[in-house]
Amino acid sequence: MSIASTSSTTGDVVLAAHNIAKSYGNIQALKGVNFDIHQGQVTTLFGENGAGKSTLMKILSGVVKPTSGEIVLDGKPVTFNSSTEARELGISIIHQELSLAPNMNVRDNIFMGREIMTATGVDFAEEERQTRLLMEELEEQIDPLTPVEDLRLGQQQIVEIARALSVNSRILIMDEPTSALSASEVDVLFKVIRDLTGRGVSIVYISHHLEEALQITNHAVVLRDGAMTAYAPRADIDLEWIVRNMVGENFDLGSPPDGYEFGPVALAIDGLTVRGPSGDFSVVDDLSLSVREGEIVCIYGLMGAGRTELLECVAGRLPPSAGSVSLRGEDVSGRSIADCIGKGLVLVPEDRQRDGLVQTMTVGRNLSLASIGSFTRGMLTSFAREASLVSDAIAKVHIKTDGGEAPIGSLSGGNQQKVVIGKMLATNPEVILLDEPSRGIDIGAKAEVFKLLAERARQGLAVIYTTSEVGECLSIAHRIVVMHRGRISAEFGPDVTKEQIMAASGEAVVAH
């Protein structure tokens, strides 16, 4: 079936994009895309980072204007001057990057800009009541008065979803809605999506979790380099079809690098304990782990298992309440982040927007920030050295950008993630910790990142990465460590099965 004939599928077309193009300077993000949204159906949009998915959705939701092309709603051409205008017509978007106000509570974030008013002012009680109902629908025990900054990333994503649901949209665009969610939270979201489509709500779903997206979609389209390359109903697509149309060949995520001996222990964690925010329980509980030079260790666990807190404590972001961390035999427990980077121990954080990037800086300045000492002497900066470092990092990490001077916000989410990884690799570390490094990265970019880590491991880099995707455990890791409630519940070699990993995490029971 041709792209132009997508409107012939079951379900009336409620919104259509005709020949949409969008340019940012010399970069053409979209090239004459045609895209239909059908009533009461889920349309899944696949594509690599930089393919134009988020740009198209921002146009359809009024966030940005197209350079050319036409949007048709209910058979009539429309022009959106803002996301507010689009929302008034029933179109809402859940952005890939969270747009919450961290200093405000959950209730106020959900009703920000459209407060429930009475003759005497804002009806906070009614807003709180509706927020509690939304949390119940999403099966989350989140108090409406909790400050958003006190919530973990997955819970913040739930708040973002709740805010979109509260508008009662007829078209709901979800850009990577599950990127920070646990498996159980994804199941709840899918139940909500099925309920919404049953009531006639149209869903546009963007995800890099390909197998997951196949569970929910009615039909799928693929974008590649700003153009739509494929369309098919759910009955005609499978994982191989998606990957082939996205990247041109069936990528895998690699295998553990071999053909060399591991070096001595690079990082040793001994009896590490990290207390929770309230201080009445341990998020990491008496954990010991050692990683050798050239070894790649994957840490798997559900949300709340303690993976993030473990890496942040090792890297100097969180203080340990007990235990020690040693780098090549030197105790670095309680050292600052800067001290750890100077010693060769670096962290790629889970939340790239909050912790990994400076939004007001260019791509190049973000890449060079952690290596500033290598091209600065006193008050003098060698711009030639910095430019060389930046161009080298862009090439090695395969960042799609208009150059080092491009604004960091001009990059897709996956390419921003590559900037964070490239920034830390540019410091030439001896140990790199990566917390969910594939979050928001498509399958081709994942393969590139894992290949890069495997190459650096061959050169002696010790690598530890966390993931909540079981398939990523079975890629380049020499050893898979499973965490459950702050402790290591199991360790496996690369020949382990997905079922064994999930059982050790408490996620599933292996059938006997």
Side-chain angles (χ1 to χ4, degrees):
M1 184 180 291
S2 69
I3 302 304
S5 63
T6 61
S7 60
S8 65
T9 58
T10 305
D12 294 335
V13 174
V14 292
L15 187 145
H18 295 159
N19 298 314
I20 295 293
K22 180 64 179 178
S23 298
Y24 295 97
N26 296 325
I27 296 178
Q28 195 169 1
L30 294 173
K31 307 168 185 175
V33 170
N34 295 285
F35 185 81
D36 292 345
I37 298 175
H38 303 267
Q39 183 177 4
Q41 293 189 352
V42 179
T43 300
T44 302
L45 185 57
F46 295 106
E48 293 189 271
N49 287 112
K53 305 184 304 297
S54 294
T55 301
L56 177 59
M57 293 305 105
K58 286 176 182 177
I59 289 172
L60 296 184
S61 60
V63 177
V64 299
K65 288 186 176 182
T67 304
S68 62
E70 182 181 58
I71 299 173
V72 177
L73 179 64
D74 296 326
K76 299 178 181 178
V78 292
T79 300
F80 302 133
N81 293 309
S82 68
S83 58
T84 302
E85 287 187 11
R87 190 165 59 240
E88 288 172 351
L89 290 171
I91 304 169
S92 294
I93 183 169
I94 300 169
H95 293 283
Q96 178 182 2
E97 306 300 347
L98 300 180
S99 57
L100 303 173
N103 60 323
M104 295 169 61
N105 63 37
V106 172
R107 177 201 65 196
D108 292 346
N109 266 280
I110 287 177
F111 288 94
M112 183 167 50
R114 49 181 197 85
E115 290 77 8
I116 299 175
M117 303 299 295
T118 66
T120 57
V122 179
D123 190 344
F124 291 115
E126 176 60 19
E127 289 184 357
E128 184 175 338
R129 186 189 72 81
Q130 291 189 27
T131 301
R132 290 189 187 280
L133 289 175
L134 286 165
M135 290 301 118
E136 288 176 12
E137 183 179 3
L138 293 167
E139 299 183 21
E140 278 288 333
Q141 294 181 338
I142 300 175
D143 191 295
L145 302 183
T146 304
V148 164
E149 61 190 356
D150 291 345
L151 301 176
R152 60 176 173 78
L153 190 59
Q155 291 175 315
Q156 291 183 25
Q157 185 73 71
I158 291 291
V159 174
E160 189 87 61
I161 292 167
R163 182 166 66 181
L165 293 178
S166 71
V167 184
N168 293 321
S169 304
R170 50 196 293 245
I171 298 172
L172 182 56
I173 299 168
M174 298 182 167
D175 191 354
E176 292 286 346
T178 65
S179 61
L181 301 186
S182 66
S184 59
E185 289 168 337
V186 171
D187 289 340
V188 172
L189 176 61
F190 282 5
K191 282 165 53 181
V192 171
I193 289 174
R194 292 185 181 103
D195 178 57
L196 289 171
T197 54
R199 290 184 281 172
V201 177
S202 305
I203 305 288
V204 180
Y205 192 87
I206 301 175
S207 180
H208 293 311
H209 300 270
L210 307 185
E211 293 177 86
E212 174 189 281
L214 285 175
Q215 299 175 37
I216 202 72
T217 192
N218 295 112
H219 43 91
V221 293
V222 180
L223 280 183
R224 188 173 183 185
D225 294 328
M228 192 170 291
T229 59
Y231 162 82
R234 174 62 183 90
D236 296 341
I237 67 176
D238 56 18
L239 196 61
E240 184 179 349
W241 179 91
I242 298 169
V243 175
R244 183 175 67 251
N245 284 291
M246 275 178 59
V247 297
E249 57 182 298
N250 197 344
F251 273 46
D252 62 41
L253 295 179
S255 57
D258 56 15
Y260 64 96
E261 296 291 329
F262 296 150
V265 172
L267 181 73
I269 303 167
D270 186 20
L272 196 68
T273 298
V274 182
R275 305 297 287 177
S278 62
D280 57 356
F281 70 100
S282 296
V283 289
V284 179
D285 188 10
D286 192 26
L287 186 145
S288 297
L289 176 69
S290 62
V291 184
R292 297 165 68 183
E293 293 177 1
E295 186 180 17
I296 302 175
V297 173
C298 172
I299 299 178
Y300 177 82
L302 303 179
M303 291 288 182
R307 298 169 302 153
T308 293
E309 292 83 359
L310 171 64
L311 295 197
E312 290 188 346
C313 181
V314 171
R317 283 197 66 183
L318 292 177
S321 57
S324 65
V325 178
S326 298
L327 184 66
R328 300 188 319 279
E330 179 183 354
D331 191 345
V332 294
S333 308
R335 294 284 188 95
S336 69
I337 295 174
D339 284 345
C340 289
I341 293 175
K343 296 285 185 182
L345 173 61
V346 300
L347 169 67
V348 174
E350 178 183 25
D351 190 337
R352 59 176 170 265
Q353 293 296 320
R354 185 185 67 185
D355 303 322
L357 298 168
V358 179
Q359 297 298 326
T360 55
M361 286 185 172
T362 63
V363 171
R365 285 294 159 87
N366 269 284
L367 280 167
S368 66
L369 191 59
S371 307
I372 193 167
S374 66
F375 53 82
T376 302
R377 294 291 181 269
M379 300 291 290
L380 301 177
T381 297
S382 172
F383 294 109
R385 280 202 200 103
E386 182 184 16
S388 176
L389 181 148
V390 168
S391 61
D392 190 46
I394 289 173
K396 284 184 176 179
V397 192
H398 307 288
I399 300 167
K400 291 182 180 178
T401 175
D402 202 19
E405 295 303 314
I408 192 67
S410 68
L411 270 59
S412 65
N415 279 293
Q416 289 184 17
Q417 180 76 328
K418 289 194 217 176
V419 169
V420 182
I421 294 172
K423 174 179 71 173
M424 302 322 301
L425 287 176
T427 66
N428 294 314
E430 299 190 32
V431 177
I432 186 168
L433 315 172
L434 304 103
D435 194 3
E436 293 276 10
S438 67
R439 180 174 174 259
I441 291 184
D442 62 73
I443 189 169
K446 284 181 187 180
E448 290 176 352
V449 167
F450 284 144
K451 180 181 178 182
L452 178 67
L453 294 174
E455 289 172 352
R456 294 298 289 266
R458 288 183 183 279
Q459 298 166 19
L461 180 67
V463 177
I464 304 177
Y465 70 94
T466 72
T467 184
S468 52
E469 290 191 48
V470 181
E472 291 182 6
C473 298
L474 307 176
S475 55
I476 60 168
H478 297 107
R479 186 160 42 116
I480 297 144
V481 172
V482 182
M483 285 187 68
H484 180 61
R485 295 182 178 176
R487 291 175 173 264
I488 292 177
S489 58
E491 289 194 26
F492 301 105
D495 56 347
V496 66
T497 65
K498 290 183 179 181
E499 291 75 16
Q500 288 173 309
I501 294 172
M502 294 170 70
S505 72
E507 187 175 356
V509 177
V510 177
H512 294 287

